[in-house]
């Protein structure tokens, strides 16, 4: 895939995301929402950063198994049950993202939700990628 990250100077500088991504490739990969589930289907991690790391790891595992890389991500949506906590942990979450997925940020949104499918889940990530 080739991806052009577009960040117009008229918009506020993006931090940890791109305003737009122009992706060219031949296959679209839709990634289901991933929470901090372990291989046994149990939510692991008692903190938002711990659950974010596991959810991102799960998303990237699905991506890589389907033949993609983090640079192929065109869009990711983060669903958080506590937006204030998400904002408070944003620097730590950003370090986690860079460590696991690098600095090729997709277009992103963070959405506050009342709860997720698993009541213990604090965060969920889904998205899509464009593959060659």
């Amino acid at each position: 895939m080739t991806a052009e990250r577009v960040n117009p100077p008229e918009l506020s500088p993006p931090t940890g995301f791109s305003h737009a991504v122009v992706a060219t490739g031949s296959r679209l990969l839709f990634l289901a929402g991933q929470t901090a589930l372990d291989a046994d289907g149990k939510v692991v991690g008692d903190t938002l950063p711990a659950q974010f790391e596991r959810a991102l790891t799960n998303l990237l595992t699905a991506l890589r198994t389907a033949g993609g890389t983090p640079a192929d991500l065109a869009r990711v949506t983060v669903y958080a049950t506590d937006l204030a906590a998400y904002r408070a942990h944003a620097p730590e979450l950003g370090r986690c993202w860079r460590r696991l997925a690098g600095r090729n940020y997709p277009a992103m949104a963070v959405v506050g939700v009342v709860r997720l499918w698993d009541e213990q889940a604090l965060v969920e990530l889904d998205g899509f990628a464009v593959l060659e």
Side-chain angles (χ1 to χ4, degrees), residues 48 80-90 93 110 112:
L48 177 63
T81 60
D82 185 341
L83 286 179
Y86 191 91
R87 271 191 226 101
H89 290 288
L93 302 177
V110 178

Side-chain angles (χ1 to χ4, degrees), residues 54-81:
R54 182 57 186 245
L56 178 56
T57 297
N58 291 348
L59 187 81
L60 295 175
T61 297
L63 172 66
R64 286 186 176 106
T65 302
T69 69
D72 296 326
L73 287 169
R75 171 89 174 145
V76 170
T77 303
V78 178
Y79 305 91
T81 60

Side-chain angles (χ1 to χ4, degrees), residues 4-131:
E4 176 190 358
R5 272 64 167 149
V6 180
N7 294 301
E10 300 85 8
L11 299 178
S12 65
T15 303
F17 69 97
S18 293
H19 283 290
V21 176
V22 179
T24 3
S26 59
R27 296 186 312 147
L28 286 179
L29 171 63
F30 296 90
L31 297 159
Q34 298 293 324
T35 60
L37 293 179
D38 65 11
D40 294 324
K42 295 191 179 3
V43 174
V44 295
D46 294 331
T47 66
L48 177 63
Q51 286 198 18
F52 180 87
E53 181 168 350
R54 182 57 186 245
L56 178 56
T57 297
N58 291 348
L59 187 81
L60 295 175
T61 297
L63 172 66
R64 286 186 176 106
T65 302
T69 69
D72 296 326
L73 287 169
R75 171 89 174 145
V76 170
T77 303
V78 178
Y79 305 91
T81 60
D82 185 341
L83 286 179
Y86 191 91
R87 271 191 226 101
H89 290 288
E92 184 177 356
L93 302 177
R95 287 189 297 275
C96 176
W97 180 279
R98 289 186 297 278
R99 182 170 40 82
L100 297 175
R103 291 183 174 273
N104 291 320
Y105 298 112
M108 294 183 75
V110 178
V111 178
V113 296
V114 174
R115 69 165 285 228
L116 297 164
W117 182 262
D118 293 300
E119 289 188 42
Q120 303 83 6
L122 304 173
V123 65
E124 181 171 337
L125 288 80
D126 72 11
F128 70 87
V130 180
L131 309 178

